[in-house]
Amino acid sequence: MSQFTELRGLYHLRETIGSGGFAKVKLAYHALTGEKVAIKIMDKRSLGEDLPRVKTEIEAMKDLCHQHICKLYQVIETETKFFMILEYCPEGELFDYIVSKDKLSEEEARVFFRQIVAAVAYIHSQGYAHRDLKPENLLLDEDQNLKLIDFGLCAKPKGGMDSQLFTCCGSPAYAAPELVSGREYLGSEADLWSMGILLYALLCGYLPFDDDKIPSLYKKIQSGKYDTPSWLSDESKSLIASMLQVDPKRRVTIRHLLAHPWLMADAQCPVEWHSKYKRCLDEDCLTELAVHYGKTKKDMEASVSEFKFDYLTATYFLLLEKKMKGRPVRLL
Ligand SMILES: CN(C)C[C@H]1CC[C@H](N2C(=O)N(C)Cc3cnc4ccc(-c5cc(Cl)c(O)c(Cl)c5)nc4c32)CC1
């Protein structure tokens, strides 16, 4: 295993666990906590015009801290490489999970969709639109919870979430009519459409709009006409219909989704979308770090709160992860 010198002593690198376009993802162990992480490795030379996407993703993920968003722990940049140290999601892509089960029951789809709505409500509240929502970009952790990934196409409009976007991007089958028509669009409304496609895929196991040729796929999307299989309940059909509205102004909003009857059916409570991560730092983690580094808690708190996404940031978050999983808050 060609040990990257930048990782030596910090992470113990293991096998490649996936690859996505211009990146390789390897399993690794964080040396100080022993926790598993995923390291996304990109070679700058082969990135080409994808370089801006990497910077977009890194900057967005530094801002986003939520139980249903894959956590970025550390960024290492050398003159030839980017390393993103990320939360490990052992169960892989939701896409493969749906394929393995053909389609999901309404109950199981509801559990996943509530998590997707929470993640999207949170990123919109932080001023971001994801713009590439699809089952390939939702990973499953060890507890079958969803983690949103791939923020390479996300947008943080300068003028906030009410200002128009223009770039046509994302995956065609999940792209909103206004987006494929080349008109300006609101990121939040385009994400809501993609979530409609996602919910349809969860419940049906195939896509509402599909075609081998892009132009005819776009025509189907712009028509807004799709068939709904007999096994879908009336509530599922009407929820999907409210999201797959061709006119973005008639489309349901994320706020409505949070308390939508379909989403509340089993739970009787609106979706809890706020981040479970507190703004203030965790005392137990700070104490353990202060002892380990031989610093006062005050100095440790000052260093950690800079959140430089260096090894200290990674160690803090991974200690917090251990605490949240009921494991001892100890460094090795
Ligand atoms: C085709 N795709 C769009 C990429 C694919 C790459 C491997 C990955 N993976 C896998 O496929 N396992 C089977 C294992 C696995 C375990 N933990 C992971 C943790 C994070 C990520 C990850 C990957 C990328 Cl490209 C990101 O941008 C971010 Cl923010 C996060 N991928 C992981 C991952 C799933 C996605």
Side-chain angles (χ1 to χ4, degrees):
M1 189 78 68
S2 68
Q3 267 289 7
F4 298 97
T5 49
E6 301 81 2
L7 302 178
R8 194 185 301 283
L10 307 177
Y11 297 94
H12 305 308
L13 222 49
R14 291 289 177 276
E15 72 276 9
T16 297
I17 49 178
S19 59
F22 46 85
K24 193 182 335 186
V25 181
K26 283 179 171 291
L27 170 64
Y29 288 86
H30 176 259
L32 274 187
T33 57
E35 292 285 292
K36 288 179 183 171
V37 293
I39 302 189
K40 181 178 176 182
I41 305 167
M42 292 154 279
D43 185 295
K44 286 182 173 176
R45 286 159 298 199
S46 53
L47 277 175
E49 78 278 357
D50 281 322
L51 185 64
R53 267 188 74 162
V54 175
K55 297 199 185 240
T56 302
E57 178 168 64
I58 289 171
E59 288 320 304
M61 293 190 82
K62 283 181 176 177
D63 276 351
L64 300 170
C65 186
H66 188 271
Q67 54 275 18
H68 294 306
I69 291 172
C70 182
K71 189 81 199 75
L72 173 66
Y73 295 131
Q74 181 175 359
V75 179
I76 300 173
E77 180 177 356
T78 67
E79 85 249 26
T80 59
K81 283 190 175 34
F82 277 114
F83 298 88
M84 289 172 71
I85 290 81
L86 294 150
E87 180 175 5
Y88 179 58
C89 305
E91 302 304 315
E93 298 177 7
L94 175 62
F95 178 88
D96 298 322
Y97 183 79
I98 302 169
V99 167
S100 71
K101 301 198 67 170
D102 176 32
K103 64 181 184 295
L104 306 188
S105 68
E106 202 164 292
E107 291 66 33
E108 193 171 19
R110 177 173 296 114
V111 169
F112 283 136
F113 199 64
R114 282 173 67 94
Q115 297 181 3
I116 296 167
V117 169
V120 176
Y122 170 76
I123 61 171
H124 286 183
S125 75
Q126 301 303 308
Y128 287 92
H130 187 276
R131 299 201 298 179
D132 198 13
L133 294 171
K134 56 184 179 180
E136 297 89 324
N137 285 339
L138 285 155
L139 304 188
L140 289 155
D141 71 2
E142 62 201 353
D143 306 316
Q144 291 275 328
N145 286 315
L146 285 180
K147 306 281 177 176
L148 183 55
I149 66 161
D150 205 341
F151 288 80
L153 293 175
C154 78
K156 183 171 193 176
K158 300 272 172 300
M161 290 302 279
D162 296 337
S163 61
Q164 308 281 19
L165 292 166
F166 297 90
T167 328
C168 180
C169 58
S171 310
Y174 293 82
E178 65 271 19
L179 207 149
V180 302
S181 309
R183 292 196 299 276
E184 74 281 356
Y185 63 92
L186 285 187
S188 51
E189 292 170 347
D191 278 348
L192 259 290
W193 172 279
S194 304
M195 289 165 74
I197 305 289
L198 239 169
L199 179 57
Y200 187 102
L202 287 172
L203 289 168
C204 303
Y206 55 87
L207 295 167
F209 307 106
D210 208 353
D211 199 292
D212 303 341
K213 291 185 292 306
I214 294 286
S216 30
L217 171 61
Y218 283 0
K219 288 229 177 342
K220 290 178 181 176
I221 292 170
Q222 289 159 328
S223 79
K225 298 221 175 332
Y226 57 93
D227 75 320
T228 44
S230 56
W231 66 74
L232 279 188
S233 70
D234 291 345
E235 296 76 24
S236 300
K237 285 180 193 161
S238 73
L239 173 57
I240 290 170
S242 67
M243 304 177 83
L244 298 185
Q245 282 291 317
V246 173
D247 177 357
K249 301 308 170 201
R250 292 167 50 87
R251 206 170 292 160
V252 69
T253 65
I254 193 81
R255 286 271 164 273
H256 276 101
L257 278 191
L258 291 169
H260 190 285
W262 188 90
L263 276 111
M264 288 174 55
D266 300 348
Q268 300 315 326
C269 61
V271 176
E272 177 39 63
W273 60 274
H274 292 87
S275 174
K276 70 181 183 188
Y277 293 90
K278 295 186 211 48
R279 302 298 309 163
C280 59
L281 297 177
D282 180 90
E283 290 301 318
D284 298 334
C285 297
L286 282 177
T287 303
E288 180 60 17
L289 282 164
V291 167
H292 179 83
Y293 286 107
K295 296 173 82 167
T296 67
K297 257 185 79 176
K298 209 161 166 41
D299 289 351
M300 203 71 245
E301 181 162 13
S303 309
V304 172
S305 48
E306 286 178 63
F307 284 114
K308 289 190 279 191
F309 286 85
D310 55 6
Y311 196 64
L312 178 60
T313 304
T315 307
Y316 172 76
F317 277 129
L318 285 161
L319 265 179
L320 190 58
E321 207 56 38
K322 284 186 90 165
K323 182 174 179 179
M324 285 183 169
K325 287 176 189 163
R327 294 188 202 139
V329 182
R330 283 284 168 279
L331 292 176
L332 305 179

